[in-house]
Each structure stands twice: as structure tokens, then as C-alpha cells.
Amino acid sequence: MTDDITSVGGGSRPDTRVNALKGRTGAGTPAGTRGKTTIADGVVAKIAGTAAREVPGIHSLGAGMARALGAMRERVPGGGGGGGVTRGVKVEVGERQAAVDLDVVVEYGVSIVDVAGGVRTNVISAVERMTGLEVVEVNIAVDDVHLPDDEEEQTEPDEGRVR
């Protein structure tokens, strides 16, 4: 019984890496399939959060307390305001599948059923197209309805404030 040992270069020392590579795909397989790609949960969360916000009728993402804390964090220099994209988004990512949970606030007057369907379609399409993962579910929790009066109250200055 003899083993084939490949030598590299002019020396007589056998290449020990050859044995370590046994069983792996080689030159006969397409380059795109050689190796493993791992996608972090945060990547999928950013994609899902961005896709959800693109749907008309979505005012914001995140439950009430998360939105309030996030708004305060964004006002503080160096407070980590970049987390707004993933606020209200939770994901579970496996090797080939992903599940997404969203907390949303919808605009008053829109059909919540239609908005939820649009969010599911947009999130699934974006995540599957960009990552190649199969999205097995998109769960949506509608935490609030944004009323048109809400913004006016927040933008008007208080009488007691110094101007």
C-alpha cells in the first residue's frame, strides 16, 4: 500500500497540507460554492428594519419605551444613535433560515392588515434576496397608532422654556 505524496518546490519534503485538504471540494466545483458564508444576526436585523420602514403606513419601529430611550440616545453625542435601524427588530438566524419579529407603529387611518402584509412581503423579499436565507416567518406586533396630532404637540415649544 502506497500513498501519493505531493512535493512542493525543489525540496524532498512532502507538503503536509495535502492531507489536511482531503475531502474538500476543489477545482472542479464553481468558485462561488467553495467555502462557507456566515451572516450575523445584526446584518439580517438591519435589512429587515430598513425593509419594514420602506412600507407606506409604517410610522416607526419599536415599542413605546424602546422608542423613547432610542430618541434620547440619538440626542446625546456618542450615545449610539446608529441603533435606530434595528430598534423594534429581533431575528433568529440559522444556517439556511431566518425568523423575524417586528414591533411597529402604524399611521392612523391605514389598514393594519394591508400594512402588515406589505411589511411581510418587503422584509421577506429583501432578506432572501440579499442573504440567500429562507425567511420562515415574519411576526408583527402593532404596538401603537401614530395620530397626526402627536407630532404637532411634540414640535410646539413649551411656554415655560427659554427661547
Side-chain angles (χ1 to χ4, degrees):
M1 177 166 140
T2 61
D3 288 333
D4 288 337
I5 298 176
T6 304
S7 296
V8 178
S12 60
R13 196 179 109 223
D15 185 359
T16 56
R17 292 183 346 160
V18 172
N19 289 334
L21 296 176
K22 280 186 179 177
R24 293 192 181 190
T25 58
T29 60
T33 61
R34 296 183 206 169
K36 182 178 178 181
T37 302
T38 304
I39 300 171
D41 292 7
V43 172
V44 176
K46 281 185 178 182
I47 294 167
T50 302
R53 285 178 176 81
E54 292 173 349
V55 176
I58 292 293
H59 175 71
S60 62
L61 270 63
M65 186 56 82
R67 285 194 327 269
L69 291 174
M72 285 178 23
R73 225 179 283 127
E74 288 173 3
R75 291 185 188 131
V76 175
V85 175
T86 59
R87 186 180 316 126
V89 182
K90 295 179 200 135
V91 298
E92 291 181 38
V93 180
E95 285 187 29
R96 288 182 226 115
Q97 296 179 325
V100 180
D101 295 328
L102 300 169
D103 292 320
V104 301
V105 177
V106 297
E107 296 288 348
Y108 176 79
V110 300
S111 166
I112 293 174
V113 173
D114 291 345
V115 170
V119 167
R120 279 190 184 92
T121 300
N122 211 36
V123 167
I124 290 170
S125 173
V127 171
E128 288 184 348
R129 178 178 46 84
M130 293 179 71
T131 66
L133 296 168
E134 175 192 6
V135 178
V136 293
E137 63 183 8
V138 176
N139 299 310
I140 300 171
V142 179
D143 292 320
D144 201 357
V145 174
H146 177 257
L147 302 174
D149 298 348
D150 289 349
E151 274 186 27
E152 291 175 16
E153 291 173 6
Q154 292 173 357
T155 57
E156 290 178 12
D158 291 338
E159 292 300 318
R161 291 214 165 165
V162 178
R163 295 183 199 175

